[in-house]
Amino acid sequence: MRQNTSIMVGLSRKQREIQDREAQILEVARGHLLDGGYLGLSMDRIAAQMEYSKGTIYQHFRNKEEILIALANEALHLRTTMFERASLFPGTSRERVAAIGAAAEAFVETAPHYFMVEQIVRASSIWEKTSAERQEVMRMCERRCMAIVGGIARDAVAHGDLSLPEGVRPEEVVFGMWSIYLGAQTISSSSDTLGEIGIHSPLTALRRGQNKMLDGYGWRPLSGEADYDAHMDRVKQELFSDA
Amino acid sequence: MRQNTSIMVGLSRKQREIQDREAQILEVARGHLLDGGYLGLSMDRIAAQMEYSKGTIYQHFRNKEEILIALANEALHLRTTMFERASLFPGTSRERVAAIGAAAEAFVETAPHYFMVEQIVRASSIWEKTSAERQEVMRMCERRCMAIVGGIARDAVAHGDLSLPEGVRPEEVVFGMWSIYLGAQTISSSSDTLGEIGIHSPLTALRRGQNKMLDGYGWRPLSGEADYDAHMDRVKQELFSDA
Amino acid sequence: MRQNTSIMVGLSRKQREIQDREAQILEVARGHLLDGGYLGLSMDRIAAQMEYSKGTIYQHFRNKEEILIALANEALHLRTTMFERASLFPGTSRERVAAIGAAAEAFVETAPHYFMVEQIVRASSIWEKTSAERQEVMRMCERRCMAIVGGIARDAVAHGDLSLPEGVRPEEVVFGMWSIYLGAQTISSSSDTLGEIGIHSPLTALRRGQNKMLDGYGWRPLSGEADYDAHMDRVKQELFSDA
Amino acid sequence: MRQNTSIMVGLSRKQREIQDREAQILEVARGHLLDGGYLGLSMDRIAAQMEYSKGTIYQHFRNKEEILIALANEALHLRTTMFERASLFPGTSRERVAAIGAAAEAFVETAPHYFMVEQIVRASSIWEKTSAERQEVMRMCERRCMAIVGGIARDAVAHGDLSLPEGVRPEEVVFGMWSIYLGAQTISSSSDTLGEIGIHSPLTALRRGQNKMLDGYGWRPLSGEADYDAHMDRVKQELFSDA
DNA sequence: GATGAATGAGGTTTCATTCAT
DNA sequence: TATGAATGAAACCTCATTCAT
């Protein structure tokens, strides 16, 4: 998360403190966002909790939205990183998409605040106030994620694991995965009565639903049903259990 | 949309006026919500546009959140109604689920504000302020929607159109559909650069993705690929073109 | 000053109170402006002193600048009224311009805050934030003042008291008077060491300077030097001693 | 404009640098003042534009007001210099006063920022915060200007070009000129609708008004009306066209 | 029942100034 | 001597909510 560790080598204590301050602010902001949503995020509150003055906060972030965007950047950064690691997990193309799924699960589980940030940013109409350069970073990350997963799909096509009908682009398959994951995770995180309507294990449901979709597309499956779960749990365990 | 017309039979003129006013308030609120998000919703603004006083608004809704919940109720009500109509569309079980998909599409297309309301309510942490009774209405509607689509899946199982593996409940399939629709519609409505990342027709992608998933589950398909589109467009045309 | 007295007839006590509140706010604002200049004017301070809440102030004036403009309106209103009264003072045309001068003096003496308001408004770059309609009121008053004094000059020309050279419009003479009065009063109110540089009676100097200018233009003079002072003092006494 | 060049002779390089920096600060401040008024002047902004740190600025000027005063000093200095040059222009006493008028015009035209600075300093209630010694410099300059123009008037009296009535001091005539110039220039710079109220050439009006006043005082005139304009334009051309 | 003035906490933002490094 | 992070008071403004008429 502390993405600038390398830059910090060789700085004086004071300089390090300053570098850290930005990260601290974001940490606090993250907390507020988590238990208050967008409205829970307030410069006043951040300053109060940090025991810094409001002015100090403003020296790091020109306005509230910049904080939100910075958090979103961090979120996308983390997601991208996790997707990248997952995409390199050795195995068949089907195992590699599954690994991405595992990464998506791990993302929500280990960094629920970041998932929330993404949701809020998606919903808010804060884009006007935001500096163009930060916006660009966001779009870049989105493209990157798409590229990673899209690349696996293209590999699958190239290796003959997946043969798409005329006029269907690999990105479309990715869109399907993206949708089902986003939808399922949104529902899971916002509904507390899933059990009542018969969904006892959203995670199982999500995994199976997504596998069935890929099966439907004709993506060469693993040998047995249970293999998916085993594989995904292994990916989570090996790649993301520390985070 | 004036969903309570039937309730109003037998009320005095005065009582009808009151009922109407409530509907008017919600109408205005809906507009504000649409072009300003949650922050665009303000009691002052509603009162101003309605040419009623703030006090009057408060006589109908104890606080702002109540308005939001009322809107959410309307939204769910509409969705439920649309799903019900769709579920009655004659045809095979596979045609009937497809009809539900068509209803979900029509819902977003004809009532984007309601879709937005649902999103906002899902994201907000307003639940504490809300009267328990209104919350209950919301849950009821959710259950209802699930029951409708779940019913189709059970029918499919009963008719041998769909045979689920051991341990898989029909609700799980519905959860898959729900996820993919919610995810795809969320992405579509919040990202303006889908084209850039290779998704040129989100609707096509959504329909195919969902169909592939149902195929994957082994739900007896329609005879040809093109049939789905034709069928869904027909459902939208016949059932929801007026809304 | 309380320019809407007539409107207030027939209003309930409560309604009168409300009407008055606006006037009270302006009164307080006037005070702050007087001993703190533009920077001394603050919504918070007004609210504090009035023992009303900030919100209440904002219900009367959308922003700080509106208060300033309202004060400027009052100022111009008063000035216009005083000029009108002066212009009707019976006598020769030369006596009537002199009466205007007397009015200008009386204005600064009896309402120094309003003079200050005019100065501040003239200097500030607040014009963008201001509602167009209020701006128009200001321009109207300016035009009105010019018309009153210009009218006297035209009368003088018509009666043969003043014969202007080819190409000189009566408004030009008014501009001269306006300039000399504005300049002299500005200097007087902002310099506390005039004595040191040899100006022991700015008022005398102003009166004589302006008279000499009108003499220079060939405006038919009063019979003797001392007459001007006597006349102007009389005008001030008779028309403006109460204000 | 760099008024302290002469002072700088004999200083070490270091000392010169410091002197220069002070001048640079003022240059930047002048710009900000011009397009933002008093509120446009901010230590942060100055530091940012100078690429020096705020602390450094504070080493030169104890506070913001000191900067303002320094600018006012520069303004008065320039005005004094211009008046001095004008006062030395050869010719009759009437031509020399006219030359002062020309200088006053040139001042506003070539250094509108300084005119603005004078206005701001005159209006603001910043006097308490200012160091006494700087204030004294300001007063000195004011006295100096008065002395220059007053000297011309005294010369005129001495040469029999002007005979003032009993009890009228030459300074009074100067006060008249000062007033009319300050007033006319203030109006011109702050009113954008002079045309609408019949003042099409404020400069012409100002020149004539002031001439008529001096005529009224009996100051020996030039031979013809047009001579004034010609003379003043010549003074501006010869003495101030470079500035 | 309707009104809308009043409330006042809460929010964002700016800026002159200080001070440890 | 230069720096610029930190300060914190103070400004502007908004808005959900209450309550006397």
Side-chain angles (χ1 to χ4, degrees):
Chain A
M1 229 114 311
R2 180 71 28 83
Q3 79 275 14
N4 36 18
T5 319
S6 58
I7 307 174
M8 282 159 60
V9 171
L11 298 184
S12 72
R13 188 180 58 76
K14 179 69 177 236
Q15 284 173 307
R16 268 202 319 280
E17 272 177 29
I18 291 167
Q19 291 278 358
D20 270 351
R21 199 105 50 215
E22 187 156 332
Q24 286 173 48
I25 292 171
L26 293 180
E27 178 116 7
V28 170
R30 218 149 49 209
H32 292 174
L33 211 56
L34 198 55
D35 56 51
Y38 178 76
L39 293 171
L41 189 61
S42 127
M43 300 305 258
D44 272 44
R45 233 193 304 275
I46 291 172
Q49 175 171 340
M50 293 211 27
E51 305 205 292
Y52 277 105
S53 73
K54 276 184 277 192
T56 303
I57 312 295
Y58 273 90
Q59 224 138 27
H60 289 280
F61 298 94
R62 241 207 311 294
N63 54 47
K64 195 175 117 170
E65 318 306 335
E66 286 285 307
I67 290 186
L68 207 57
I69 295 300
L71 285 175
N73 278 344
E74 285 190 359
L76 286 170
H77 232 92
L78 176 60
R79 187 187 276 279
T80 309
T81 306
M82 291 176 78
F83 277 27
E84 268 167 358
R85 289 186 79 184
S87 73
L88 298 174
F89 199 88
T92 65
S93 66
R94 186 65 188 261
E95 280 168 330
R96 289 169 64 222
V97 237
I100 295 288
E105 289 172 13
F107 178 76
V108 175
E109 286 157 13
T110 64
H113 29 89
Y114 280 142
F115 179 67
M116 195 171 186
V117 166
E118 286 183 344
Q119 302 268 74
I120 287 170
V121 168
R122 201 180 286 287
S124 296
S125 31
I126 58 169
W127 294 99
E128 297 139 22
K129 268 192 159 181
T130 301
S131 71
E133 120 220 46
R134 297 250 197 194
Q135 279 188 41
E136 195 40 45
V137 176
M138 290 204 56
R139 282 201 233 282
M140 277 248 313
C141 282
E142 249 186 18
R143 268 196 294 264
R144 190 72 179 277
C145 281
M146 176 51 82
I148 292 166
V149 194
I152 296 175
R154 289 181 183 283
D155 269 14
V157 172
H159 286 71
D161 289 348
L162 170 63
S163 74
L164 293 172
E166 181 70 26
V168 179
R169 313 187 61 211
E171 280 78 9
E172 195 191 287
V173 182
V174 179
F175 180 75
M177 279 197 63
W178 184 6
S179 298
I180 202 169
Y181 261 99
L182 176 59
Q185 291 176 335
T186 302
I187 295 170
S188 299
S189 72
S190 66
S191 188
D192 48 354
T193 54
L194 280 182
E196 289 178 25
I197 52 179
I199 313 296
H200 300 294
S201 169
L203 187 62
T204 310
L206 165 58
R207 284 186 178 181
R208 189 150 34 213
Q210 168 247 20
N211 272 325
K212 294 304 184 190
M213 185 180 68
L214 297 187
D215 289 349
Y217 268 115
W219 196 318
R220 187 193 310 279
L222 300 196
S223 48
E225 266 265 310
D227 293 355
Y228 295 104
D229 274 339
H231 174 65
M232 291 174 83
D233 289 340
R234 195 177 137 222
V235 170
K236 279 162 81 167
Q237 174 66 32
E238 289 185 19
L239 298 187
F240 307 116
S241 62
D242 57 328
Chain B
M1 228 113 306
R2 178 69 30 81
Q3 79 279 7
N4 35 18
T5 320
S6 58
I7 307 173
M8 281 159 63
V9 172
L11 299 184
S12 72
R13 191 183 55 74
K14 192 68 174 237
Q15 283 172 308
R16 269 203 318 279
E17 271 177 27
I18 292 172
Q19 290 278 0
D20 266 352
R21 190 136 56 223
E22 188 154 333
Q24 285 171 46
I25 292 171
L26 293 180
E27 177 116 9
V28 169
R30 217 152 48 209
H32 292 177
L33 212 56
L34 193 57
D35 55 49
Y38 179 75
L39 293 170
L41 191 61
S42 119
M43 300 305 262
D44 275 54
R45 244 190 296 277
I46 291 172
Q49 180 171 335
M50 294 251 327
E51 307 203 300
Y52 275 105
S53 75
K54 273 185 285 191
T56 305
I57 310 292
Y58 273 88
Q59 236 128 35
H60 291 280
F61 297 94
R62 218 189 292 77
N63 56 44
K64 193 175 124 171
E65 318 308 335
E66 286 284 309
I67 291 184
L68 209 57
I69 295 302
L71 283 175
N73 277 344
E74 285 191 358
L76 286 170
H77 234 93
L78 175 60
R79 190 186 274 280
T80 310
T81 308
M82 290 175 77
F83 277 26
E84 269 168 355
R85 290 186 78 185
S87 74
L88 298 174
F89 200 88
T92 65
S93 65
R94 185 67 187 261
E95 279 168 333
R96 288 169 64 223
V97 236
I100 296 289
E105 290 173 13
F107 178 75
V108 175
E109 287 157 15
T110 63
H113 30 89
Y114 280 141
F115 180 67
M116 195 172 186
V117 166
E118 286 182 346
Q119 301 267 73
I120 289 171
V121 169
R122 200 179 287 285
S124 296
S125 33
I126 57 172
W127 294 99
E128 298 137 22
K129 271 190 157 181
T130 301
S131 70
E133 116 222 47
R134 297 254 196 192
Q135 280 188 42
E136 195 40 46
V137 177
M138 289 203 56
R139 282 201 234 284
M140 275 249 314
C141 282
E142 250 185 17
R143 267 196 293 264
R144 189 72 179 280
C145 279
M146 174 52 81
I148 293 167
V149 194
I152 297 176
R154 290 182 183 282
D155 270 14
V157 171
H159 286 71
D161 289 345
L162 168 64
S163 74
L164 293 172
E166 179 71 25
V168 179
R169 311 187 63 213
E171 279 76 12
E172 192 191 289
V173 183
V174 179
F175 180 74
M177 277 196 66
W178 184 6
S179 297
I180 202 169
Y181 262 99
L182 176 58
Q185 289 175 337
T186 301
I187 296 171
S188 298
S189 73
S190 68
S191 185
D192 48 354
T193 53
L194 280 182
E196 286 178 25
I197 51 178
I199 313 298
H200 300 293
S201 170
L203 188 63
T204 309
L206 165 58
R207 284 185 177 181
R208 190 150 34 211
Q210 168 247 20
N211 272 324
K212 295 302 185 191
M213 186 180 69
L214 298 186
D215 289 349
Y217 270 115
W219 197 317
R220 187 194 310 278
L222 301 197
S223 46
E225 267 264 310
D227 293 356
Y228 295 103
D229 273 339
H231 175 65
M232 291 173 83
D233 290 340
R234 194 176 138 223
V235 171
K236 278 161 81 168
Q237 174 66 32
E238 290 185 17
L239 299 187
F240 307 116
S241 63
D242 57 327
Chain C
M1 226 113 312
R2 180 67 28 83
Q3 79 274 12
N4 36 17
T5 319
S6 57
I7 307 173
M8 280 159 60
V9 171
L11 298 183
S12 72
R13 188 180 59 74
K14 180 68 177 242
Q15 284 173 309
R16 269 203 319 281
E17 272 178 21
I18 291 167
Q19 292 276 359
D20 269 349
R21 200 105 50 217
E22 187 157 333
Q24 285 174 50
I25 292 171
L26 293 179
E27 179 116 6
V28 170
R30 218 151 49 209
H32 292 177
L33 211 55
L34 197 55
D35 57 49
Y38 178 76
L39 293 171
L41 189 61
S42 126
M43 301 304 261
D44 278 49
R45 233 196 302 278
I46 292 172
Q49 176 171 339
M50 294 214 21
E51 307 204 294
Y52 276 106
S53 73
K54 275 183 279 193
T56 304
I57 312 295
Y58 275 91
Q59 223 138 29
H60 288 281
F61 298 95
R62 239 205 314 294
N63 56 45
K64 196 176 118 167
E65 319 307 334
E66 285 285 309
I67 290 187
L68 207 57
I69 294 302
L71 285 175
N73 277 346
E74 285 190 359
L76 286 170
H77 233 91
L78 175 60
R79 188 186 277 280
T80 309
T81 307
M82 291 175 78
F83 277 27
E84 267 168 358
R85 289 186 79 183
S87 73
L88 298 175
F89 201 86
T92 66
S93 65
R94 187 65 187 260
E95 280 168 331
R96 288 170 62 222
V97 236
I100 296 289
E105 289 173 12
F107 178 75
V108 174
E109 287 156 12
T110 62
H113 30 87
Y114 280 143
F115 179 67
M116 193 169 189
V117 167
E118 286 182 346
Q119 302 267 74
I120 288 171
V121 169
R122 202 179 285 288
S124 295
S125 33
I126 57 170
W127 294 101
E128 296 139 23
K129 265 193 160 181
T130 302
S131 71
E133 120 221 47
R134 297 249 198 194
Q135 278 189 42
E136 195 41 44
V137 176
M138 291 205 56
R139 282 201 233 285
M140 277 249 314
C141 282
E142 250 186 18
R143 268 196 293 262
R144 190 71 182 277
C145 281
M146 175 52 81
I148 293 167
V149 195
I152 298 176
R154 289 182 181 282
D155 270 14
V157 171
H159 286 72
D161 289 348
L162 169 62
S163 75
L164 292 172
E166 180 71 25
V168 179
R169 314 186 62 210
E171 279 79 9
E172 194 192 288
V173 183
V174 179
F175 179 74
M177 279 195 62
W178 185 5
S179 298
I180 202 169
Y181 261 99
L182 175 59
Q185 290 175 337
T186 302
I187 296 169
S188 300
S189 73
S190 67
S191 188
D192 48 354
T193 55
L194 279 182
E196 288 178 24
I197 51 177
I199 313 297
H200 299 294
S201 169
L203 188 62
T204 310
L206 165 58
R207 284 186 178 181
R208 189 148 37 212
Q210 167 247 18
N211 271 325
K212 295 303 186 191
M213 186 180 68
L214 297 186
D215 289 350
Y217 270 115
W219 196 318
R220 187 194 309 279
L222 302 196
S223 46
E225 265 263 313
D227 294 355
Y228 294 104
D229 272 339
H231 174 65
M232 290 173 82
D233 289 340
R234 195 177 138 223
V235 170
K236 277 161 83 168
Q237 175 66 33
E238 290 186 15
L239 299 186
F240 307 117
S241 61
D242 56 328
Chain D
M1 229 113 306
R2 176 68 30 82
Q3 81 279 6
N4 36 19
T5 321
S6 58
I7 305 173
M8 281 160 60
V9 172
L11 299 183
S12 73
R13 188 183 57 75
K14 192 69 173 242
Q15 284 173 309
R16 271 203 317 280
E17 272 177 28
I18 292 171
Q19 291 279 359
D20 266 354
R21 190 138 54 224
E22 189 155 332
Q24 285 171 46
I25 293 170
L26 294 179
E27 177 115 9
V28 169
R30 217 152 50 210
H32 292 177
L33 212 55
L34 194 57
D35 55 49
Y38 178 76
L39 293 170
L41 191 62
S42 118
M43 301 304 262
D44 274 55
R45 244 190 297 274
I46 291 172
Q49 181 171 336
M50 295 250 327
E51 307 203 300
Y52 275 105
S53 75
K54 273 185 283 192
T56 306
I57 311 291
Y58 272 88
Q59 237 129 33
H60 291 278
F61 298 94
R62 216 185 300 73
N63 56 45
K64 192 176 128 173
E65 319 306 337
E66 286 286 309
I67 291 184
L68 207 58
I69 295 301
L71 283 175
N73 277 343
E74 285 191 357
L76 287 171
H77 234 93
L78 175 60
R79 189 185 276 280
T80 311
T81 307
M82 291 176 78
F83 277 26
E84 268 169 356
R85 290 185 79 183
S87 73
L88 299 173
F89 200 86
T92 65
S93 64
R94 186 65 189 262
E95 281 168 330
R96 287 170 63 223
V97 236
I100 295 289
E105 289 173 12
F107 178 75
V108 174
E109 286 157 14
T110 64
H113 29 90
Y114 280 141
F115 180 67
M116 195 171 186
V117 167
E118 287 182 346
Q119 303 267 74
I120 288 170
V121 169
R122 200 180 286 287
S124 295
S125 38
I126 57 171
W127 294 99
E128 295 137 26
K129 274 190 156 182
T130 302
S131 71
E133 116 221 48
R134 296 254 194 193
Q135 280 188 42
E136 196 40 45
V137 177
M138 289 204 56
R139 284 202 233 282
M140 277 251 311
C141 282
E142 250 186 17
R143 269 196 293 264
R144 188 74 179 276
C145 279
M146 176 50 83
I148 293 166
V149 194
I152 297 176
R154 291 182 181 283
D155 270 15
V157 172
H159 286 72
D161 289 347
L162 169 62
S163 73
L164 293 172
E166 180 71 24
V168 179
R169 314 187 63 211
E171 280 76 10
E172 193 192 290
V173 183
V174 179
F175 180 75
M177 277 196 63
W178 185 7
S179 298
I180 201 169
Y181 261 98
L182 176 58
Q185 290 175 337
T186 301
I187 296 169
S188 298
S189 74
S190 67
S191 187
D192 49 353
T193 53
L194 280 182
E196 286 177 27
I197 52 178
I199 313 297
H200 300 294
S201 169
L203 188 64
T204 308
L206 165 58
R207 284 184 177 182
R208 189 150 35 213
Q210 167 247 20
N211 272 324
K212 295 304 187 191
M213 185 180 68
L214 298 186
D215 289 350
Y217 269 115
W219 196 317
R220 186 193 311 279
L222 301 196
S223 46
E225 266 263 311
D227 293 356
Y228 295 102
D229 273 339
H231 174 65
M232 291 175 82
D233 289 339
R234 195 175 137 224
V235 170
K236 277 162 82 168
Q237 174 66 33
E238 289 185 18
L239 298 187
F240 306 116
S241 62
D242 57 328

